[in-house]
Amino acid sequence: MNAQVARRIKAPGRKRILACDGGGILGMMSVEILARMEADFRAAAKKPDLVLADVFDLVAGTSTGAIIAACIAAGMDTATLRRFYEESGPLMFEPSFILKRLRHNFTDEPLARMLRRELNLALGLEPEGPPAKLGNENLRTALMMVMRNHSTDSPWPVSNNPFAHYNRTDRADCNLELPLWRLVRASTAAPTFFPPETIVFAEGTPHEYQFVFVDGGVTSYNNPAFLAFQMATAKPYAMEWKVGASEILLVSVGTGFAPRARPGLQAGDLWLLDHARNIPSALMNGASEGWDRTCRILGRTRHGAMIDREFGDGMSPLPGRPAWTGDCWTGPQLFTYLRYDPDVTAAGLAALGLPAIRPEDVQVVDSVAHVAEIQAVGRAYAAAQLRPEHYVDFL
């Protein structure tokens, strides 16, 4: 059992959750947003070496967000996390051998090697030695990663919570014994981009079995914010944090949003290939927005863009609508909520002072040729939208 994580989970007082969306190389937007947040926390605490693991008690992520979450939980600062993405970005999307491309477009081996090495280094292990496990005692925060178990057709939120049922050390298939890098790799195994990840449980015992996993982004939890809140508070997960707007801070960080409007679309345009191309992203975007809306209703929202012209932003009624005071719904507020997610449409980029950046260069998950532009969006958004008063009262 990781005693540090166990103490942190059960300690009294306010709790802080960080949730990071999926989005491939667009995760570099999230990294830049988190870098600004880390700087704000350092200034408020007057601690120049503070890292996000010192602040957040639970860090959750899906797909590229799982990479970010695992690195933060390992105690990595955002400068090192930025360097990791800058160095690994081209490797993440290294083309597969031509004969394999009917299965997937990119090879997983370069990313797998770098993940294993960097996580070992962050956790104080030999970089080429045995891989760090999910239950590594040097992980500094509770960690949750979302993946899809393709064998059982189910979303899997896997955590290092030492009180969780499948993390009991008396189990032959205790999840805490699984290699951390392999779980992160499983969460990032986007179908058609990367091969799936096979994970063996209870390895070397008479109870050995295996499952095939793919990217958590193809579940309904590409935005894992509310799922993280559920894990922290629902009794089956045994963390049992106290709810309330003054008790829990939930910070949700996206990888850019851009509604794919199709002016002039005709019913006859919707055929098999069009559906195959557009339905997966439509479902992912709809689920992400749905969880964002849920969080804004159940939480006390301090920051977030407008969701639509009826709901607004969940913080105040739109002009010309019936007035309401206080919070966004009729029940008690369960947490304080922040949503940071850049608008990467042409209008959104212009509003950030970046009209020269082409929207299509910062909207696709494998846009490794435009890392500088992706970073510029994250930095500009952070400078324009993040304010210390959003979150420093939870230090």
Side-chain angles (χ1 to χ4, degrees):
M1 175 186 288
N2 183 320
Q4 180 177 205
V5 171
R7 286 194 301 271
R8 197 159 185 177
I9 288 173
K10 295 302 183 180
R14 293 177 167 184
K15 301 295 184 183
R16 295 154 292 268
I17 302 171
L18 173 65
C20 300
D21 288 13
I25 198 64
L26 301 179
M28 296 193 78
M29 286 186 207
S30 303
V31 172
E32 295 302 330
I33 292 168
L34 293 171
R36 177 62 178 253
M37 191 180 301
E38 182 181 72
D40 287 344
F41 281 130
R42 286 176 172 180
K46 296 181 173 58
K47 295 179 179 178
D49 297 326
L50 178 145
V51 295
L52 293 175
D54 296 321
V55 176
F56 290 100
D57 304 288
L58 168 61
V59 187
T62 300
S63 193
T64 198
I67 297 176
I68 295 170
C71 290
I72 288 173
M76 193 178 288
D77 63 17
T78 56
T80 304
L81 183 55
R82 180 190 291 118
R83 176 186 57 78
F84 170 75
Y85 265 82
E86 289 172 343
E87 293 178 359
S88 68
L91 299 179
M92 286 184 190
F93 296 96
E94 183 174 283
S96 296
F97 182 67
I98 189 68
L99 295 180
K100 294 183 179 180
R101 290 187 189 172
L102 287 177
R103 293 176 179 264
H104 50 82
N105 290 336
F106 301 103
T107 180
D108 64 323
E109 287 306 314
L111 176 60
R113 288 194 300 269
M114 184 164 273
L115 273 174
R116 177 171 173 165
R117 175 183 174 82
E118 292 299 320
L119 287 170
N120 268 21
L121 280 171
L123 292 168
L125 303 177
E126 287 295 324
E128 308 303 331
K133 296 178 179 180
L134 178 61
N136 184 277
E137 63 183 11
N138 291 329
L139 283 168
R140 296 173 57 180
T141 75
L143 169 66
M144 184 192 86
M145 296 169 288
V146 183
M147 56 204 73
R148 172 181 164 79
N149 187 326
H150 223 49
S151 301
T152 64
D153 189 26
S154 57
W156 269 39
V158 176
S159 80
N160 68 337
N161 169 18
F163 307 103
H165 177 73
Y166 287 97
N167 289 350
R168 290 189 354 237
T169 55
D170 61 341
R171 296 184 62 97
D173 59 352
C174 175
N175 286 345
L176 297 179
E177 293 299 312
L178 297 172
L180 178 58
W181 76 266
R182 194 174 289 280
L183 293 169
V184 176
R185 166 67 184 80
S187 184
T188 63
T192 76
F193 284 96
F194 301 108
E197 185 73 21
T198 299
I199 296 181
V200 179
F201 295 77
E203 188 170 9
T205 76
H207 308 287
E208 182 175 302
Y209 61 97
Q210 65 183 33
F211 290 132
V212 176
F213 291 90
V214 296
D215 196 306
V218 297
T219 70
S220 62
Y221 301 110
N222 194 57
N223 172 351
F226 194 71
L227 185 61
F229 169 75
Q230 288 176 315
M231 180 168 282
T233 58
K235 289 188 177 181
Y237 297 110
M239 293 175 67
E240 299 188 49
W241 289 356
K242 184 178 179 181
V243 302
S246 62
E247 301 292 339
I248 293 177
L249 174 68
L250 175 56
V251 180
S252 176
V253 181
T255 55
F257 72 92
R260 297 181 65 182
R262 299 174 70 179
L265 180 69
Q266 302 295 315
D269 297 333
L270 304 180
W271 62 296
L272 185 62
L273 184 59
D274 184 86
H275 286 316
R277 184 185 300 118
N278 292 296
I279 284 180
S281 63
L283 293 174
M284 288 172 60
N285 292 340
S288 181
E289 180 187 298
W291 290 124
D292 184 19
R293 188 192 306 262
T294 297
C295 289
R296 297 197 201 201
I297 292 171
L298 299 182
R300 179 167 296 159
T301 305
R302 285 185 177 175
H303 186 273
M306 187 171 77
I307 289 181
D308 60 38
R309 288 178 291 182
E310 181 171 21
F311 183 86
D313 60 15
M315 289 179 280
S316 57
L318 290 169
R321 308 294 172 83
W324 48 268
T325 58
D327 297 311
C328 186
W329 78 310
T330 56
Q333 300 305 298
L334 304 182
F335 46 83
T336 290
Y337 178 64
L338 302 168
R339 174 66 172 171
Y340 298 118
D341 194 21
D343 177 351
V344 290
T345 62
L349 293 171
L352 290 175
L354 302 171
I357 292 180
R358 300 190 311 162
E360 58 268 31
D361 292 341
V362 292
Q363 293 178 358
V364 293
V365 299
D366 59 343
S367 190
V368 293
H370 301 285
V371 164
E373 292 94 328
I374 293 167
Q375 290 179 299
V377 172
R379 287 193 294 268
Y381 176 87
Q385 298 295 326
L386 271 67
R387 295 289 179 270
E389 56 267 26
H390 290 167
Y391 36 72
V392 294
D393 59 322
F394 272 87
L395 274 175

